[in-house]
Amino acid sequence: LYQRRNTMDPVEWFSSLPLITRTWLGLSAALTGAGYLDLIPIHQLVFDPVRIYQNLELWRLLTCFCFCGLHEFSALLLLYVIHLH
């Protein structure tokens, strides 16, 4: 009658990604969503060498690579590209 397709739910799909891709995609989605919802000020996510060296804000070395911007379509496109590579 009905044949079940081999589809994965989102949790299985996310778990099947390689560790680096899964971590980068998860951080990128979380930081982009938090920035879009104003949970984290965007100026805290950008690369600022003065604040990194003078105030030891070391998270800026990572967050600048994980924030995809506030435009919805471009952020979704960047997350999709991260998933592909």
Side-chain angles (χ1 to χ4, degrees), residues 4-9 12:
R4 185 171 184 209
R5 294 182 180 174
N6 272 341
T7 58
M8 287 191 246
D9 66 354
E12 289 176 8

Short mmCIF file of all heavy atoms in Angstrom, two decimals, residues 4-9 12:
data_model
loop_
_atom_site.label_atom_id
_atom_site.label_comp_id
_atom_site.label_asym_id
_atom_site.label_seq_id
_atom_site.Cartn_x
_atom_site.Cartn_y
_atom_site.Cartn_z
N ARG A 4 7.13 3.55 2.95
CA ARG A 4 7.78 4.61 3.71
C ARG A 4 9.09 4.97 3.04
O ARG A 4 9.90 4.10 2.73
CB ARG A 4 8.03 4.15 5.13
CG ARG A 4 8.58 5.25 5.99
CD ARG A 4 8.62 4.84 7.42
NE ARG A 4 9.09 5.99 8.18
CZ ARG A 4 9.75 5.89 9.30
NH1 ARG A 4 9.98 4.72 9.81
NH2 ARG A 4 10.13 6.96 9.94
N ARG A 5 9.28 6.24 2.81
CA ARG A 5 10.53 6.71 2.21
C ARG A 5 11.63 6.77 3.26
O ARG A 5 11.37 6.88 4.46
CB ARG A 5 10.34 8.10 1.62
CG ARG A 5 9.42 8.11 0.46
CD ARG A 5 9.34 9.50 -0.09
NE ARG A 5 8.43 9.53 -1.24
CZ ARG A 5 8.08 10.62 -1.85
NH1 ARG A 5 8.54 11.79 -1.44
NH2 ARG A 5 7.27 10.57 -2.88
N ASN A 6 12.85 6.68 2.82
CA ASN A 6 13.99 6.82 3.72
C ASN A 6 14.26 8.29 3.96
O ASN A 6 15.16 8.88 3.38
CB ASN A 6 15.24 6.16 3.14
CG ASN A 6 15.32 4.71 3.50
OD1 ASN A 6 14.67 4.28 4.43
ND2 ASN A 6 16.12 3.96 2.77
N THR A 7 13.47 8.90 4.79
CA THR A 7 13.68 10.30 5.13
C THR A 7 14.11 10.38 6.59
O THR A 7 13.75 9.55 7.41
CB THR A 7 12.39 11.11 4.93
OG1 THR A 7 11.36 10.54 5.73
CG2 THR A 7 11.98 11.13 3.48
N MET A 8 14.88 11.40 6.85
CA MET A 8 15.37 11.61 8.21
C MET A 8 14.62 12.79 8.81
O MET A 8 14.30 13.74 8.11
CB MET A 8 16.86 11.95 8.19
CG MET A 8 17.77 10.83 7.88
SD MET A 8 19.46 11.33 8.21
CE MET A 8 20.11 11.30 6.57
N ASP A 9 14.37 12.72 10.08
CA ASP A 9 13.84 13.89 10.74
C ASP A 9 14.99 14.88 10.95
O ASP A 9 16.16 14.53 10.76
CB ASP A 9 13.13 13.51 12.05
CG ASP A 9 14.06 12.96 13.11
OD1 ASP A 9 15.25 12.77 12.82
OD2 ASP A 9 13.60 12.72 14.23
N GLU A 12 17.95 13.70 13.23
CA GLU A 12 18.81 12.69 12.61
C GLU A 12 19.69 13.31 11.54
O GLU A 12 20.87 12.96 11.42
CB GLU A 12 17.95 11.58 11.99
CG GLU A 12 17.28 10.68 12.98
CD GLU A 12 16.38 9.67 12.30
OE1 GLU A 12 16.40 9.57 11.06
OE2 GLU A 12 15.65 8.96 13.02
#
